[in-house]
Amino acid sequence: MESARCKAFLAAVETGSFTRAAEKLNYTTSGVSQLVAALEKELGITLFIRKKQGVALSVDGEHILPLIRSFVQQEERIYQSASEIRGLSVGEITVAAYPSMSAHWLPLIIRQFQNDYPQIQVNLMEGIRQEIITWLEDGVADIGFLSMNEDSQFDWFPVYKDRMIAVLPKDHPLAHADRYPIALCEKEKFIMPALGRDDDVVDMFARYNVHPNIQFSTMENYSAISMIEKGLGMSIMNERSTFNWVSDVVKLPLEPPEDITLGMAVPSLEHASSAARKFVEYARKESKLRINDEKG
């Protein structure tokens, strides 16, 4: 199986178009079309449904996608290993993270990493927990930065703790209180981020047997904060996700106090590419410095 055909297939999946895939790969549109057609002929299945506005994966294409992605990744690992043997450090990694981590912690890691390994390309994706886990499982991302889950099947490395806070409108009755009681969420108009299921918040409510009065759901915390600012309700989120967001809201620690452990997940550090292992090494080093700073 030729890797060029597989890469053309993956580019078409990512862009939804042979034309955009050709731009990404510096091929002609007909070249990408011919590569995909050759792969379909080789496998004996139809990978795409052709439409006027682009292409969409067929049922067979969806089934074969993880296998082809794994095939291309294995080829990349072979070249990376060969480069290391020659004394070079080249490659490409994809990192998926919560927006709060990609905005406030990861840029430093990426800068330090690329200063030492300028030939390793780092792609950064942002998403909610459900998306990051899917990207890791499907092989789209090499490393994920998210909150800890004791049932995780990934190799896990803690980075730092972040406290959970209540975000309230400025005219809320408890706006000047020292803390916000978690149990009051049953009586509030609660705004739930992360497509209506923020796992960190849901798990917290379950521990205290609290059933929030969910009135709205959003994709991102930023949207929830804007709604809170307009008086549409309140929410609970990790504190760093509210940083650098100019808004006229009130932020209170919770009662009882709650925090989450944020860290990085790797499907298998042992089988990860050399570039991914290097990035994990840098992130773990930085997390140890952060923990020591916090203790000091």
Side-chain angles (χ1 to χ4, degrees), residues 255-270:
E255 181 59 44
E258 282 286 321
D259 60 40
I260 58 174
T261 299
L262 296 164
M264 57 183 162
V266 185
S268 171
L269 187 60
E270 180 182 357

Side-chain angles (χ1 to χ4, degrees), residues 14-25:
E14 180 181 339
T15 62
S17 162
F18 287 162
T19 299
R20 289 190 291 271
E23 294 172 355
K24 179 183 174 82
L25 299 173

Side-chain angles (χ1 to χ4, degrees), residues 116-128:
D116 290 339
Y117 301 102
Q119 296 182 12
I120 297 180
Q121 179 179 331
V122 180
N123 304 312
L124 182 59
M125 303 172 67
E126 293 184 334
I128 60 177

